[in-house]
Amino acid sequence: MKLSLFLTLSILIFGNYTQAAAQEVDLPLEKIKLPPGFSISLWAKVPDARALAIGDKGTVFVGSKSAGNVYAITDHHGKRQIRTIASNLKLPSGVAFHQGALYVVAINRILRYDQIEENLDQPLQPTVVIDSFPKESFHAERFIAFGPDDLLYASVGAPCDACEADQSQYALISRLMPDGSNYEIFAQGVRNSVGFDWHPKTKELWFTDIGRDWMSGSLPPNELNHAPSKGMHFGFPYCHGKNTLDPKFGAKRGCERSTPPTVELDANVSPMGMRFYTGDMFPPEYKNQIIIAEHGSLNQRTHNGYRLEWVYLENNKVLRKEIFAEGWLENGKAWGRPVDVLIMPDGALLVSDDEAGAIYRISYTKS
């Protein structure tokens, strides 16, 4: 009895525990529909799992939202050890790894944990990289990632559903040096991007953008955007999708002065994490194509999303898009909500789910 109590307290205090690869924890993964040859399994149970990043030594870092924690997961022969490496942060949803350090964005500031993979059991005190982002909690689950230019990119959502907020502070994607200097705006008119990546060949930025609520069941479309250069404006709050004027602000600017999305995604799906698939496990047609996690509708009567979707490109033009994985929505109720995706060194795909508190592994085996 005393030993059991000690182990329980150790987990609660240190947030350090091990999970077996086969543990399913009663999640109905058999309901997830995938193309032939693909399979899904539970990789780890992580409360409120949001953005994902991987270190040089294979450590998977996981941000969270309301949990306020940042986690590190290491894998030793199929057994995963999960550590809570930071806690009591405000919305630490975005994580990025660069040159041995973990970067964590928590509302108005970005923290850097140096030599993190060598100090998982006792991380060094973080360095504040920048602390001048807006402090509003509306759309404050920021996404961060390092680009091929070695600059740190960070999204800043609009502080509202739809409004003319100061576009020098909100509704944008910014970038800065790893030490926090030389902050600049890269793209504007971006309502709320919670996922972006760079094309493996062109090195150009692509990002998802979540459309506003309360227009109609089928409007406005969500977006997948392409930003090959700095200084582009993507429409918010005046234009949504390619040509949908905002009912309140559209007349002030119209759509002709904005860059239209490359792809209009379905309304209310809330696209979040996206990656170009660069692994070798999946069939060749998936190589260098985009996988998007659609978190699902929240404020609408018509539920949509709760799935993964592929977008196929050729010369920056869309060939087609198709649903890849679905089944987290059942009888109008979601038991899971995909947030982010991450390509692993073996080519498998990790998917975070903040509703189920889980990270899944999707793999492919030739028949």
Side-chain angles (χ1 to χ4, degrees), residues 55-72:
D56 290 336
K57 297 181 179 180
T59 307
V60 173
F61 298 99
V62 189
S64 70
K65 187 178 176 182
S66 57
N69 299 328
V70 179
Y71 306 95

Side-chain angles (χ1 to χ4, degrees), residues 162-165 167 189 212 233 235-240 245-246 249-250:
C163 62
E164 287 187 295
Q167 295 209 5
R212 63 161 294 182
H233 193 287
F236 180 83
Y238 311 102
C239 180
H240 310 284
L245 290 176
D246 187 86
F249 304 106

Side-chain angles (χ1 to χ4, degrees), residues 49 269-270 272-273 292-296 305-308 325 328 336-341 351-355 360:
V269 298
S270 297
M272 291 194 174
I292 299 174
E294 296 182 345
H295 195 234
Y306 316 97
R307 65 196 185 194
L308 303 179
W328 286 281
R337 305 187 75 187
V339 178
D340 198 13
V341 289
V351 182
S352 61
D353 178 343
D354 61 351
E355 180 72 21
Y360 312 110

Side-chain angles (χ1 to χ4, degrees), residues 107-110 128-135 142 156 168-169 176 180 183:
I107 296 224
N108 66 310
R109 57 185 183 150
I110 294 178
V128 178
V129 175
I130 190 172
D131 60 1
S132 56
F133 287 116
K135 295 182 178 181
R142 313 200 193 290
V156 181
S168 68
Q169 297 188 60
L176 57 154
Y183 175 91

Side-chain angles (χ1 to χ4, degrees), residues 29 31-34 40 294 305-308 324-330 333-338 351 353 356 360 362:
L29 295 183
K31 297 180 179 180
I32 302 300
K33 299 177 182 178
L34 289 160
I40 185 170
E294 296 182 345
Y306 316 97
R307 65 196 185 194
L308 303 179
F324 175 67
E326 61 180 346
W328 286 281
L329 180 68
E330 187 176 23
K333 185 176 181 181
W335 60 266
R337 305 187 75 187
V351 182
D353 178 343
Y360 312 110
I362 296 178

Side-chain angles (χ1 to χ4, degrees), residues 163-207:
C163 62
E164 287 187 295
D166 182 352
Q167 295 209 5
S168 68
Q169 297 188 60
Y170 303 96
L172 55 86
I173 294 175
S174 62
R175 67 180 179 184
L176 57 154
M177 297 290 289
D179 63 1
S181 62
N182 296 341
Y183 175 91
E184 64 178 356
I185 296 173
F186 183 80
Q188 291 179 296
V190 181
R191 179 180 178 272
N192 185 28
S193 178
V194 198
F196 43 79
D197 197 11
W198 288 263
H199 192 287
K201 293 183 177 180
T202 68
K203 310 302 181 184
E204 294 172 351
L205 179 67
W206 291 72
F207 64 92

Side-chain angles (χ1 to χ4, degrees), residues 63-80:
S64 70
K65 187 178 176 182
S66 57
N69 299 328
V70 179
Y71 306 95
I73 306 174
T74 52
D75 190 323
H76 298 284
H77 305 293
K79 290 188 176 181
R80 279 157 217 119

